[in-house]
Amino acid sequence: MRYASPRLGDDRGAVATQLVLVVPVVLLLMLLIVQFALAWHAEHIAQYAAERALAAARVKDATAADGQTQARTSVSQLGGHVLTAPSVTVRRTAARATVRVTGTVIPVVPGLRLHASGTASGAVERLTTPQGDTP
């Protein structure tokens, strides 16, 4: 005597369909995680380059060009591939120096363009007398 098993439903091909729908979404999520980790890293590179440039630009008798050179050197040594198309702005007055480093984060996800920036500002070194006057 044969028993006929009731079919619960025809599930053939269900796993393949699920994989076709789920795998691209999972891969996109993983790429987004990598993209934002690179953006975070690029932000730190920009901030470090700005701080190094400030240290070079605020020295007594230094110029804004000294800060620009230091920032470009720092970016190229640390993250020339992560922080692309860096832009360095150095403003130096008699009392204060300000540096801003900006750039574009290398794209991992097509069509997603993220930017990173770092800013540093501080007083310029100068000689003063105990009364606060400049000699």
Side-chain angles (χ1 to χ4, degrees):
M1 186 164 151
R2 282 184 76 169
Y3 294 101
S5 63
R7 291 191 94 164
L8 298 175
D10 192 8
D11 286 341
R12 278 188 263 158
V15 172
T17 303
Q18 290 172 356
L19 283 175
V20 166
L21 296 174
V22 172
V23 168
V25 172
V26 170
L27 287 175
L28 180 63
L29 287 174
M30 289 182 358
L31 286 175
L32 284 171
I33 289 170
V34 170
Q35 182 71 70
F36 286 107
L38 282 172
W40 181 71
H41 181 56
E43 192 81 23
H44 282 90
I45 290 170
Q47 184 62 41
Y48 176 77
E51 289 172 6
R52 294 280 304 203
L54 175 66
R58 69 191 293 194
V59 175
K60 185 179 181 323
D61 297 329
T63 63
D66 295 331
Q68 287 245 351
T69 302
Q70 181 60 48
R72 292 194 187 286
T73 301
S74 296
V75 168
S76 68
Q77 288 176 347
L78 286 176
H81 299 294
V82 177
L83 187 64
T84 60
S87 169
V88 179
T89 305
V90 180
R91 289 195 182 112
R92 188 180 192 277
T93 64
R96 192 149 197 82
T98 304
V99 180
R100 180 162 176 83
V101 178
T102 60
T104 305
V105 180
I106 186 171
V108 175
V109 178
L112 184 61
R113 291 185 54 106
L114 299 176
H115 300 279
S117 65
T119 304
S121 182
V124 171
E125 294 178 355
R126 57 193 169 108
L127 294 176
T128 59
T129 63
Q131 291 79 23
D133 299 329
T134 304

